Amino acid sequence: MKVFLINLDRRPDRLAEMTERLNALGLEFERISAFDGSTQPSLHLVDWVKATIFNFFVVPSAGVIGCYQSHKFVWQRIVDDQTTQALVLEDDAMPVDWDPVVLKVELADIGIDLLRLEATDFRHPIGQADEIKLIGRQLCNIQTSGAAAYVISAGGARKCLSLGKFWFPADTYDVVGQLTGLKSAVLIPAMWHQSQSVSDLRDGQNDSKSDFGKVLRVGREFFWRVRRPWLRAARKLLVNFEVWRVRNKVVGK
């Protein structure tokens, strides 16, 4: 199976660390130069509004957009090279219970497009769990965020690419699934964890270390806890509207 490693040009230290880890696992990989999150891409106002809504009413950082663009590079590469499926890793992923047997699992046989290998929790098991008992793990519905380690099929890559321009995090699986039909699942227990350090692909240098920035984060957290039920309901309504709009646009063609 093809292995892609997303790595920023300005982080050769992480490339060296990942090279050592993957060599120890016997995994040959191809490096993908990541989109630098410290470079803010230009977006139209409508895209910024959508991004804020689908990011639970939090204005996404340049790092979040950079993460999306970086994974988009990989999806495009998979489609261009006509790769059946590939293992995608971010440069701060750490193996905790790696089993190479997962590389032999055909996603099409399980009925999914994307299989996450990195997770912290889950909610709902799915019926196809018996299909992968050889790995000794439970196959569950995606309910958590995270894109540090996953296997994706060519069909899944095409579905993700159909999203077009960015307006939500790459790992907002509920939205991606509703809009594109992407079927995703997660293996529990996880084979990879994300480093405890802040990922440059997502936030990196964008988090303010000033007192004002800390006050903003505390205020945002308080606002989220107080208004969470309302915000989640509003987000769900807007997601459903976007799904309806996209589907009718496709039908209209």
Side-chain angles (χ1 to χ4, degrees):
M1 184 185 296
K2 190 76 174 181
V3 179
F4 292 105
L5 173 65
I6 301 174
N7 169 250
L8 283 163
D9 294 340
R10 58 182 169 82
R11 291 308 302 265
D13 56 324
R14 285 193 171 176
L15 176 60
E17 292 173 358
M18 285 300 295
T19 298
E20 184 177 349
R21 292 170 190 166
L22 295 179
N23 285 343
L25 297 176
L27 293 175
E28 296 184 3
F29 67 92
E30 178 178 344
R31 176 183 176 273
I32 298 295
S33 179
F35 186 98
D36 196 335
S38 63
T39 303
Q40 186 76 22
S42 59
L43 293 177
H44 295 295
L45 178 60
V46 173
D47 295 318
W48 273 115
V49 172
K50 283 184 176 182
T52 302
I53 290 172
F54 292 105
N55 197 35
F56 289 102
F57 294 85
V58 176
V59 178
S61 68
V64 171
I65 298 176
C67 178
Y68 175 88
Q69 297 292 350
S70 299
H71 284 273
K72 188 176 179 181
F73 291 161
V74 177
W75 304 333
Q76 190 63 61
R77 183 62 181 275
I78 291 172
V79 172
D80 291 344
D81 292 352
Q82 298 182 336
T83 302
T84 303
Q85 59 186 42
L87 170 62
V88 182
L89 301 169
E90 293 182 354
D91 65 3
D92 61 345
M94 302 182 66
V96 290
D97 193 16
W98 171 248
D99 189 339
V101 176
V102 73
L103 299 178
K104 299 180 181 180
V105 174
E106 295 291 336
L107 299 187
D109 294 340
I110 308 175
I112 60 174
D113 303 304
L114 184 148
L115 178 62
R116 274 187 56 204
L117 308 179
E118 168 256 338
T120 55
D121 58 7
F122 66 96
R123 294 183 187 178
H124 308 295
I126 60 179
Q128 293 91 335
D130 293 338
E131 299 289 340
I132 56 169
K133 285 297 184 182
L134 60 116
I135 303 178
R137 286 168 170 78
Q138 190 173 21
L139 187 65
C140 304
N141 285 335
I142 286 289
Q143 296 292 343
T144 59
S145 61
Y150 62 88
V151 177
I152 187 170
S153 67
R158 282 191 290 270
K159 289 178 180 179
C160 290
L161 286 171
S162 70
L163 297 168
K165 292 183 294 185
F166 165 86
W167 35 269
F168 53 85
D171 55 357
T172 311
Y173 297 106
D174 58 338
V175 179
V176 178
Q178 289 183 65
L179 290 175
T180 69
L182 182 78
K183 297 179 180 178
S184 53
V186 60
L187 280 180
I188 301 296
M191 294 184 176
W192 295 77
H193 283 173
Q194 197 160 21
S195 172
Q196 295 299 315
S197 60
V198 177
S199 172
D200 283 359
L201 290 178
R202 298 177 177 276
D203 297 303
Q205 300 173 350
N206 298 291
D207 278 347
S208 173
K209 302 298 188 299
S210 66
D211 292 338
F212 179 70
K214 294 178 181 178
V215 170
L216 283 179
R217 287 196 296 274
V218 172
R220 186 175 67 185
E221 179 67 19
F222 175 76
F223 177 77
W224 168 248
R225 290 182 180 276
V226 172
R227 301 292 181 86
R228 182 173 182 175
W230 299 353
L231 294 179
R232 290 180 69 91
R235 179 178 182 270
K236 182 177 181 180
L237 178 64
L238 292 166
V239 168
N240 290 335
F241 171 76
E242 189 68 26
V243 171
W244 174 84
R245 189 189 68 79
V246 171
R247 288 179 179 173
N248 277 272
K249 182 178 180 181
V250 173
V251 172
K253 291 182 179 180

